[in-house]
Amino acid sequence: MSKPMTAFTTDFQHSGMIAKDLDETIEFYTKKLGFEVAGIFHNGENRCAFLRYGHLTIETWEGEPAPMTTGAINHWAFDTPDIEAAFENAKELGLKFKDTEIQHIDSFWDHGIRYFNVYGPNGETIEFCQIV
């Protein structure tokens, strides 16, 4: 009898995303979102970077066209204890907002969630979410 794939894994390792400009992507994730560079490696003539925040690692690389659209990877969500402070800070950073105000979904979890989304440099959606 087959088992779910979690029987063969231990944790989430990374999520992959093509970069339209690898240096711009590294700068955005490190300087504006606070990731650290876990490693930059060559893959033939191109580079591949691993960017890490907590348990989340993003593999991003150059050498092929970035889709520049939400698609195969819809979004990444970050847990935040103070959605208002996060929203104000994102405005101060000049991030490109998908949502013009903090959104809410009352039916999630026990008391709902509050969140907003921004776009990264490759058209990816990044969500900041507070579980109420």
Side-chain angles (χ1 to χ4, degrees):
M1 175 161 208
S2 62
K3 300 177 184 177
M5 289 306 296
T6 52
F8 302 93
T9 62
T10 58
D11 205 345
F12 182 79
Q13 187 188 77
H14 73 270
S15 181
M17 173 185 68
I18 303 166
K20 80 173 173 171
D21 179 315
L22 188 61
D23 294 320
E24 176 188 29
T25 300
I26 291 169
E27 182 175 330
F28 177 86
Y29 278 92
T30 59
K31 303 272 194 253
K32 294 195 176 186
L33 297 187
F35 279 60
E36 57 187 60
V37 176
I40 299 176
F41 305 96
H42 286 278
N43 184 6
E45 295 179 14
N46 299 308
R47 296 172 299 155
C48 177
F50 287 84
L51 310 173
R52 183 168 295 142
Y53 173 74
H55 289 88
L56 174 63
T57 302
I58 299 170
E59 174 191 19
T60 184
W61 62 94
E62 59 191 5
E64 56 185 293
M68 300 303 292
T69 185
T70 300
I73 298 171
N74 181 267
H75 71 277
W76 291 285
F78 296 92
D79 191 17
T80 182
D82 187 341
I83 196 69
E84 287 88 2
F87 189 73
E88 290 305 313
N89 190 69
K91 287 195 287 190
E92 289 174 19
L93 286 171
L95 300 182
K96 182 179 175 186
F97 283 83
K98 183 174 184 178
D99 302 312
T100 57
E101 58 188 36
I102 296 170
Q103 308 294 306
H104 62 90
I105 301 174
D106 296 330
S107 60
F108 282 15
W109 304 105
D110 290 337
H111 303 286
I113 63 170
R114 298 179 68 216
Y115 69 96
F116 65 90
N117 293 290
V118 299
Y119 291 110
N122 303 292
E124 70 274 20
T125 300
I126 303 162
E127 176 182 319
F128 296 88
C129 182
Q130 180 178 21
I131 297 173
V132 181

